[in-house]
Amino acid sequence: MNHNTAAVLPRLPVPDLQKTVTKYLDSLRPFLLEDAAHGGPSYEDAFALRTKWADDFVYGIGRVCQERLHELDRASPDNWLDDNFWLKSYLQWRAPLLINSNWWLVFNDDPLHPSEEHLVSGFTEWQLQRAAWLVHRTLGFKDKVELQELHPVTTRTGVWIQESVSKMFNLARIPQRYCDILSQISSPSDPLSCNIVVMVNNWFYAVRVYDPGPDNSRILIPAETLLARLNVVVHDAATRAECAPEIGVLSADDRDSWASILQHLLSISPQNVETHEAVVNSLMCLCLDRENHSIALPSSSSSLPQPSSISQPSLDSHLHAIRSVPSNVSNRFFDKPYSIIVDPSGRAGAMGEHSPADALVPSIVGEYAVVQHVEMTQSFASAEHSATNGSWSRLEWVVDDESLEAIRAARARAEANINNSDDSLLWFEEYGSDWIKSVGFSADAYIQMAIQVAWYRTTGEFTATYETALTRMFNKGRTETIRTLSVESRAFVLAMTDNDDSISSETKWDLLRRAVQKHTSLTRDAATGRGIDRHLLGLRNMLRQGERSQLFDDLLFARSQEWRLSTSGLSAGHHFRGTGFGTVYENGYGINYLAAPSMVKFGIETKFSGGNTSTEVFKDAVYCALREMREVILQVPHNKSTITHEQLIISRL
């Protein structure tokens, strides 16, 4: 890399204290308006009280915390947030990575995809061909980025991609009591860094994908060579007499349980130490599943239109197989940042641990892998049915009665977690980002407003809403929160859900325009280092023992961060059937969406135990909201504003 020509990303700033507190107070307004509308304290009195607490903070302990944060920033190599707080917030979370934390991407089928109806179980020629091709394309992208053949570091985007992609490979999250750690990225000189881990029938294998080259270099093997090696590994796994210990399901358990049993495994045999080290330092995982997961047709028909090119049960069965189901949950290692998954029919996707990189990064890698269909110069049948010595090896685990009991318990908990996940895809195909933009709206903000309408219609209340904004313009920047719920979004939602039809289309359109403008402004602030939630996190962490602030003790502070709607938009998703991640709260939703020019794909997850949430009901509400919003827009000549600021505040009081 020629560092003389590399773009330099600015340092993430410490936001201005007064501006953060002012924006925070503004984010409380919709909650206070709702409380007042339902018999709580008057909006004016409640807001005045929060303003007093905010002033006390700014001119008191808050000023001290702000200076401490600046001191921490000066002592931090990269920035105050990512060096000290943000990664730890992932690693301290004790919930299982399965569904709760890991993301998943559902790839489109390859154009050469054969009929899958008759394929139920067993490993297939097409499965291994597609697996070899996807791995080859994935690592080819990694190499091209490192060599700066793609996304050179002469641009700020190139610097961000170079840094982000490097954190997807050759490392893993390692469970520890109370707080996990991330392993160091293994050195290219380490032989283990040349391998992928292949999981077959719950067995672990190391397969070399970089062969030695001249001058101590390493060369990515052709896809055909990888196919031959995979064939040997699959044959070995299929002919083993014993069943594999389901070590993979342990990594799906809560983090403290996994930490405890991993320490036990490492203590009972040096073989386990070697195996775990080989998995951690490997490039990535490839999970070859033995069974195709399928969902039976629903007992009652949905009111939603069927997707245009695939049945809804087929779409969701693919989604669930990548997310994980009981038949394949032990054929995964959830601690790895990137795993490619391929089933016997050739359906494929990716899943990964979230802490090293945000989901946009693997989606970029995944799109590169999928965009070019399989091109193999030799078939499975003609591929060499042997591999050179040293090109693959078994990765064995030694287990005892204690670890076998832990596996049984972990599987029971994993299956309960999976069975509690209400997860589905919605393809809205009536219009997409092109039409939204053509009528003058930001596609992302528009979709966020539809989600707000759907939530209110299905729950009868408002909730704090998290949308991810990337701070990638900064060195080592990760994310910031966009607080979608605002005075403006609340007013729009109330107008759209008015049962008396007393509000005109012109008024609804104007309220939508204001809500979208507000959301766009919040998005800009978040992406440019002027958001509030990471700053508030830093300020709270600067309080020392015995120090308190009413600003943080206020119950509304916690309520304003109870993200029952956790949302994120990725790319247009041309090469994905869908995406997903789990809800943070069991009575909430995790929603990821792909806004393509002519359609929007939603991945929606909640919990059956949530009581008053239902993915099917929410899908219908989102669909109806998007249709009704278009109808409003089509009825209005978009040339004037009819709403005053006062009307936004007093609506429904």
Side-chain angles (χ1 to χ4, degrees):
M1 181 187 300
N2 184 354
H3 292 281
N4 292 327
T5 60
V8 177
L9 298 184
R11 191 180 184 91
L12 182 73
V14 177
D16 179 82
L17 178 60
Q18 181 65 67
K19 291 180 180 178
T20 289
V21 172
T22 299
K23 293 173 187 176
Y24 167 68
L25 287 174
D26 187 57
S27 77
L28 298 184
R29 290 177 184 270
F31 296 98
L32 299 176
L33 288 167
E34 277 299 290
D35 291 346
H38 293 87
S42 74
Y43 167 77
E44 292 78 8
D45 290 346
F47 189 75
L49 180 61
R50 268 70 187 194
T51 301
K52 177 185 180 302
W53 291 341
D55 289 342
D56 291 344
F57 180 73
V58 169
Y59 296 106
I61 189 62
R63 180 180 295 178
V64 176
C65 290
Q66 179 79 345
E67 181 52 40
R68 290 171 183 166
L69 201 56
H70 277 291
E71 291 176 1
L72 181 65
D73 185 46
R74 288 189 287 270
S76 301
D78 297 312
N79 64 66
W80 59 274
L81 175 63
D82 298 281
D83 291 340
N84 301 284
F85 306 126
W86 192 236
L87 184 59
K88 185 182 289 187
S89 69
Y90 280 107
L91 300 179
Q92 285 180 328
W93 200 24
R94 301 291 83 197
L97 301 182
L98 167 66
I99 300 175
N100 298 300
S101 181
N102 282 23
W103 49 263
W104 51 92
L105 303 170
V106 183
F107 295 165
N108 282 351
D109 284 345
D110 192 282
L112 301 179
H113 195 102
S115 173
E116 60 182 305
E117 263 44 40
H118 65 288
L119 298 176
V120 178
S121 63
F123 302 104
T124 66
E125 172 182 345
W126 173 244
Q127 175 186 23
L128 298 193
Q129 282 186 348
R130 191 166 193 213
W133 183 251
L134 288 173
V135 170
H136 182 77
R137 289 280 297 175
T138 298
L139 297 178
F141 179 86
K142 172 182 177 293
D143 291 349
K144 288 179 183 295
V145 169
E146 289 179 353
L147 294 171
Q148 298 191 57
E149 295 175 11
L150 288 174
H151 306 292
V153 296
T154 51
T155 68
R156 290 184 172 185
T157 298
V159 173
W160 173 75
I161 288 183
Q162 182 103 191
E163 167 74 19
S164 301
V165 169
S166 71
K167 294 178 180 177
M168 285 178 53
F169 302 99
N170 294 119
L171 78 162
R173 180 167 171 168
I174 299 176
Q176 296 200 344
R177 296 283 291 179
Y178 310 118
C179 184
D180 295 351
I181 60 172
L182 278 180
S183 68
Q184 295 294 313
I185 297 174
S186 57
S187 168
S189 62
D190 182 353
L192 297 177
S193 72
C194 297
N195 301 333
I196 62 170
V197 167
V198 179
M199 300 193 69
V200 188
N201 284 354
N202 305 326
W203 295 107
F204 289 68
Y205 290 87
V207 175
R208 196 174 70 232
V209 290
Y210 287 94
D211 280 348
D215 301 322
N216 295 319
S217 66
R218 60 184 197 174
I219 302 172
L220 180 63
I221 63 174
E224 293 81 6
T225 303
L226 177 55
L227 173 61
R229 294 177 184 180
L230 293 180
N231 182 38
V232 174
V233 164
V234 167
H235 177 75
D236 182 78
T239 55
R240 295 175 80 158
E242 70 276 25
C243 292
E246 296 185 352
I247 300 297
V249 79
L250 294 173
S251 68
D253 209 357
D254 71 86
R255 302 308 292 173
D256 284 342
S257 295
W258 173 214
S260 177
I261 195 60
L262 178 60
Q263 285 303 308
H264 174 73
L265 286 167
L266 299 180
S267 71
I268 63 175
S269 172
Q271 177 63 58
N272 292 341
V273 176
E274 292 180 12
T275 293
H276 187 250
E277 181 183 5
V279 174
V280 167
N281 291 330
S282 68
L283 285 149
M284 53 175 281
C285 278
L286 169 64
C287 305
L288 298 172
D289 290 343
R290 186 178 179 84
E291 297 181 9
N292 290 326
H293 176 69
S294 62
I295 297 175
L297 291 172
S299 55
S300 59
S301 60
S302 170
S303 61
L304 294 171
Q306 286 288 306
S308 59
S309 58
I310 186 174
S311 72
Q312 189 67 46
S314 294
L315 190 62
D316 285 343
S317 68
H318 190 179
L319 173 78
H320 293 175
I322 304 305
R323 177 206 64 189
S324 293
V325 293
S327 65
N328 64 32
V329 68
S330 54
N331 202 49
R332 307 280 186 271
F333 197 75
F334 289 89
D335 293 351
K336 291 295 283 184
Y338 198 70
S339 296
I340 289 176
I341 300 160
V342 189
D343 74 8
S345 73
R347 295 184 309 185
M351 176 269 293
E353 202 279 302
H354 206 158
S355 64
D358 299 295
L360 178 61
V361 182
S363 77
I364 293 170
V365 178
E367 284 190 329
Y368 183 90
V370 176
V371 66
Q372 185 174 340
H373 62 76
V374 173
E375 295 179 1
M376 307 289 280
T377 58
Q378 62 184 115
S379 70
F380 177 89
S382 63
E384 182 183 356
H385 279 216
S386 63
T388 58
N389 291 334
S391 65
W392 68 278
S393 63
R394 293 178 173 181
L395 297 176
E396 305 282 18
W397 292 92
V398 176
V399 295
D400 59 5
D401 289 344
E402 180 177 339
S403 48
L404 290 173
E405 179 56 38
I407 288 170
R408 285 190 287 270
R411 168 165 278 282
R413 288 189 287 267
E415 290 190 7
N417 193 356
I418 292 167
N419 293 333
N420 193 33
S421 178
D422 182 6
D423 186 25
S424 182
L425 293 174
L426 166 65
W427 283 12
F428 181 84
E429 300 182 83
E430 295 191 11
Y431 62 91
S433 60
D434 277 359
W435 183 84
I436 298 171
K437 294 173 185 176
S438 75
V439 293
F441 293 111
S442 154
D444 180 77
Y446 182 97
I447 292 167
Q448 284 287 323
M449 294 309 115
I451 293 172
Q452 288 293 300
V453 172
W455 171 268
Y456 190 81
R457 280 216 175 114
T458 55
T459 66
E461 61 185 16
F462 291 93
T463 188
T465 304
Y466 180 111
E467 184 190 358
T468 304
L470 293 179
T471 53
R472 65 184 187 181
M473 66 179 289
F474 299 104
N475 181 36
K476 304 295 193 297
R478 289 289 299 267
T479 64
E480 177 58 275
T481 305
I482 307 167
R483 294 192 173 200
T484 301
L485 179 61
S486 64
V487 168
E488 291 80 2
S489 67
R490 174 181 176 271
F492 168 68
V493 169
L494 291 176
M496 289 295 292
T497 55
D498 177 59
N499 294 325
D500 298 330
D501 293 325
S502 59
I503 302 177
S504 68
S505 294
E506 288 82 0
T507 298
K508 292 176 181 178
W509 174 83
D510 206 356
L511 289 168
L512 173 59
R513 181 184 63 82
R514 288 173 175 265
V516 166
Q517 286 177 344
K518 176 66 173 181
H519 191 80
T520 302
S521 176
L522 292 171
T523 300
R524 186 182 305 111
D525 281 352
T528 56
R530 295 174 292 165
I532 66 171
D533 280 283
R534 304 299 180 262
H535 191 198
L536 292 171
L537 171 69
L539 292 168
R540 287 189 73 190
N541 277 283
M542 291 299 96
L543 288 172
R544 295 175 180 171
Q545 188 172 3
E547 295 177 342
R548 300 181 65 178
S549 169
Q550 189 60 53
L551 185 81
F552 296 137
D553 291 341
D554 181 12
L555 293 178
L556 191 53
F557 180 85
R559 181 178 159 200
S560 72
Q561 295 183 329
E562 190 176 308
W563 315 115
R564 291 169 64 194
L565 276 177
S566 181
T567 69
S568 180
L570 283 181
S571 60
H574 296 297
H575 305 290
F576 301 139
R577 283 178 166 171
T579 58
F581 58 84
T583 179
V584 178
Y585 294 90
E586 68 173 15
N587 60 346
Y589 294 95
I591 304 172
N592 193 254
Y593 50 88
L594 306 169
S598 59
M599 68 182 298
V600 185
K601 300 173 184 175
F602 295 87
I604 304 173
E605 200 271 349
T606 188
K607 308 301 182 191
F608 289 111
S609 59
N612 63 346
T613 55
S614 163
T615 291
E616 195 63 31
V617 170
F618 199 79
K619 285 167 56 177
D620 186 72
V622 169
Y623 183 89
C624 291
L626 288 168
R627 295 194 77 182
E628 291 171 16
M629 288 165 66
R630 181 178 63 172
E631 290 171 5
V632 165
I633 292 169
L634 293 177
Q635 292 172 9
V636 177
H638 314 135
N639 57 8
K640 63 178 181 178
S641 173
T642 61
I643 305 300
T644 67
H645 177 72
E646 288 71 21
Q647 286 176 291
L648 290 172
I649 296 295
I650 65 174
S651 177
R652 290 274 179 99
L653 283 183

